[in-house]
Amino acid sequence: MRQSSELETTFFVTAVAVSARLGHVLKEAKNISLEAMNAKALVARAGENVRTFKPITDYMVELANDTIRLVADIDQEALRISKASLIALRGNEAVNHFNTAKVKAQKALYRDSFEPALQDAEKDLHLFQQNLLRNIRRLNELLEEIENRMLAANVVTSTSRLEAATVSPLYRANFEAIVEKFENAAKTIRAIVRECRKVLNVR
Amino acid sequence: MQTIKLFEGPFHEWIVFGRDSEKIDKIVDTNQYLVKTNREAILLDPGGIELFSSMLAAVVHFLPVEQITHLFASHQDPDIISSLGLWDKTLPTATLHAPWIWEGFLRHYGCNNITYNPIADEGGTLKVDGIELEFIPAHYMHASGNFGVYDPQAKILFSGDVGGGLNSHEDPMFVQDFDQHIKQIKTFHQRWMPSEKAKEAWIKRVRKLDIDLMCPQHGAIYKGKDIDRFLDWLEDLEVGTALRSS
């Protein structure tokens, strides 16, 4: 477990950085959605010959929509983390100021009079840090959810390849191209999400 | 942090805190004032956030911190009151008296618990445990909403930035050689004070007061005849110079 005192120090930057990276995920998710639409159109045109592709395209659409929704949730969570970490940072600074005053006031007659203020500041800080930890955990969960979906996308890609190999040569190249784009988008998303999780865990 | 008792009357005292040798080099040196009775106290221009721990440590030599029931901010600058968020945690039941125009701005420093008492443009009075203090308008000297504090019993005027200079923490707390002193404060007044009209109005107002000590928020404190010398010098000084040269 990382030290609580260091948690808040740069998290307001980290959260924003994660949010910025996810802009690319959104772009790729929209690409998946577009490819899924293309695949659907192709399935409709090819008819009975490629009916096994229908559930795959449905899944692609679902995956894209879920990813877009998750990115929106992550954006909200990143904003909450950014705010929570700034509050925690200010709380930490307050505690530091009071502790410095305590050292400087060692010989002062009324040095104990600000002890309640210090204790309140410490209590506040603990609460701020707990909130921040909760927000970070939630962000990690959301990122994990996207990553899991992209792992599932791998399975779908393999199935799709097999299916593409069996369809009429007339449509095969088109389906293979769709599968490849889908695979690439999923790979890119996974790489970005992994990077985001790494950034969060390095802290 | 140096502390000097400026006045000791039957019911109240004035103490100045300043020349903090531990402050960060590049931040301006400031004077903070405490007016205390046996039961209550007011901190005048409590200082910047960087100074908070030194100030808190210094005031608890004189009173338990809960005895500070009032804060005063002459205007909105960070060296005056950017410590507000921390005083807000220390003195949650205190009242901050500050120009009404700065309320929305000062709250950016953090003011969740302290009560904000907006001072009207014409000024007003405040009784601290029976001691009456007057908020003297000093608008545009230098901030557009600005007050000094006058204590008629102690004959002390807290003049905010007027009379101040960008001093070093090694400079004396009182003006020793007026002619030398004004060299240090000339540029500050020419540049920071924007209006001849405001300057004249302030001088006229202050000349009516009976003052033994004029205490600026920066620099050295004026005693006796140096106060009149300063007012005469300021009267002749052209202010708002940046406007003329631009």
Side-chain angles (χ1 to χ4, degrees):
Chain A
M1 181 77 145
R2 64 180 80 89
Q3 285 290 306
S4 303
S5 57
E6 70 171 81
L7 264 179
E8 70 280 359
T9 52
T10 57
F11 244 108
F12 56 96
V13 180
T14 309
V16 173
V18 164
S19 181
R21 280 183 172 95
L22 288 172
H24 298 293
V25 171
L26 196 62
K27 195 178 138 199
E28 293 301 333
K30 282 176 181 168
N31 282 343
I32 291 177
S33 185
L34 190 68
E35 287 313 316
M37 294 303 166
N38 284 339
K40 273 187 166 219
L42 204 59
V43 166
R45 223 180 307 142
E48 196 57 22
N49 191 25
V50 292
R51 70 183 161 77
T52 47
F53 243 97
K54 181 147 188 333
I56 293 171
T57 55
D58 287 345
Y59 181 76
M60 282 163 81
V61 172
E62 195 187 315
L63 189 80
N65 289 342
D66 282 355
T67 307
I68 290 166
R69 180 182 52 76
L70 281 167
V71 168
D73 288 350
I74 286 172
D75 260 342
Q76 286 299 311
E77 204 55 48
L79 188 66
R80 272 194 282 271
I81 286 179
S82 204
K83 283 180 183 167
S85 62
L86 274 174
I87 291 170
L89 181 65
R90 285 167 94 181
N92 195 34
E93 274 179 10
V95 169
N96 288 342
H97 280 293
F98 283 121
N99 279 325
T100 308
K102 205 172 164 179
V103 173
K104 287 181 178 178
Q106 257 172 2
K107 291 176 186 165
L109 187 59
Y110 304 104
R111 68 184 287 258
D112 293 336
S113 65
F114 63 85
E115 192 61 33
L118 169 61
Q119 282 172 10
D120 284 348
E122 281 172 342
K123 241 185 275 171
D124 285 349
L125 176 60
H126 182 69
L127 192 73
F128 298 152
Q129 286 173 336
Q130 291 305 309
N131 286 342
L132 182 58
L133 273 174
R134 214 172 15 249
N135 290 138
I136 291 165
R137 252 181 247 130
R138 172 81 185 127
L139 180 60
N140 247 321
E141 281 166 14
L142 289 169
L143 288 168
E144 197 180 351
E145 214 175 315
I146 294 188
E147 208 180 342
N148 286 342
R149 270 156 215 264
M150 293 308 126
L151 280 171
N154 273 354
V155 179
V156 174
T157 308
S158 307
T159 317
S160 307
R161 279 200 193 289
L162 289 174
E163 291 297 332
T166 62
V167 300
S168 148
L170 190 62
Y171 299 107
R172 191 176 300 152
N174 286 338
F175 275 114
E176 279 174 352
I178 288 168
V179 171
E180 197 178 331
K181 281 180 186 168
F182 177 68
E183 189 178 27
N184 286 340
K187 260 188 200 163
T188 308
I189 290 174
R190 263 184 79 194
I192 296 168
V193 169
R194 272 187 182 168
E195 201 188 329
C196 289
R197 293 187 72 191
K198 208 166 133 188
V199 167
L200 282 174
N201 290 323
V202 159
R203 291 263 322 103
Chain B
M1 174 86 74
Q2 279 188 43
T3 60
I4 297 172
K5 199 174 280 187
L6 298 173
F7 171 81
E8 192 165 4
F11 303 109
H12 74 301
E13 294 173 356
W14 274 72
I15 297 143
V16 59
F17 304 86
R19 309 295 189 267
D20 184 17
S21 57
E22 290 174 26
K23 79 167 179 61
I24 298 163
D25 272 351
K26 286 188 177 176
I27 63 171
V28 66
D29 190 65
T30 53
N31 303 327
Q32 292 68 232
Y33 297 89
L34 179 74
V35 184
K36 72 174 278 274
T37 70
N38 281 335
R39 287 181 297 196
E40 284 187 72
I42 179 168
L43 257 182
L44 309 180
D45 285 2
I49 193 163
E50 295 292 344
L51 218 74
F52 174 78
S53 57
S54 294
M55 263 307 286
L56 182 59
V59 296
V60 291
H61 281 274
F62 296 91
L63 42 66
V65 78
E66 67 271 16
Q67 201 176 313
I68 303 171
T69 45
H70 300 272
L71 298 171
F72 166 81
S74 60
H75 59 290
Q76 84 295 3
D77 278 348
D79 62 317
I80 304 288
I81 186 76
S82 64
S83 57
L84 179 60
L86 293 167
W87 287 111
D88 186 76
K89 288 181 189 293
T90 316
L91 311 167
T93 58
T95 301
L96 169 68
H97 307 269
W100 71 269
I101 68 163
W102 298 125
E103 179 168 357
F105 296 74
L106 285 174
R107 285 186 182 277
H108 276 278
Y109 292 132
C111 189
N112 301 321
N113 304 302
I114 281 177
T115 305
Y116 191 105
N117 173 43
I119 308 172
D121 281 344
E122 56 273 25
T125 57
L126 170 71
K127 274 203 170 173
V128 179
D129 193 20
I131 300 299
E132 189 164 277
L133 299 173
E134 297 172 16
F135 298 132
I136 307 293
H139 307 311
Y140 301 101
M141 292 294 280
H142 69 94
S144 45
N146 211 123
F147 290 95
V149 176
Y150 178 60
D151 177 347
Q153 281 188 47
K155 296 183 183 176
I156 294 177
L157 172 70
F158 168 64
S159 57
D161 274 328
V162 188
L166 304 176
N167 291 53
S168 141
H169 69 83
E170 287 161 349
D171 288 345
M173 194 63 99
F174 293 91
V175 174
Q176 290 178 336
D177 179 337
F178 185 79
D179 293 329
Q180 284 300 314
H181 175 71
I182 54 168
K183 287 178 190 165
Q184 281 184 301
I185 65 169
K186 188 178 175 187
T187 309
F188 179 78
H189 284 77
Q190 285 181 317
R191 183 63 201 255
W192 263 258
M193 306 301 160
S195 158
E196 287 289 339
K197 206 172 159 186
K199 181 192 82 175
E200 283 159 18
W202 185 85
I203 292 171
K204 198 174 162 191
R205 191 173 277 127
V206 169
R207 280 202 196 277
K208 288 179 190 162
L209 305 174
D210 185 8
I211 307 170
D212 285 346
L213 289 176
M214 190 181 98
C215 304
Q217 191 254 342
H218 306 278
I221 294 169
Y222 301 77
K223 284 195 235 177
K225 284 181 181 158
D226 281 341
I227 299 167
D228 284 327
R229 277 193 197 123
F230 171 76
L231 295 175
D232 292 343
W233 169 81
L234 184 63
E235 206 156 36
D236 291 338
L237 187 76
E238 187 189 27
V239 297
T241 49
L243 207 59
R244 285 162 187 79
S245 61
S246 61

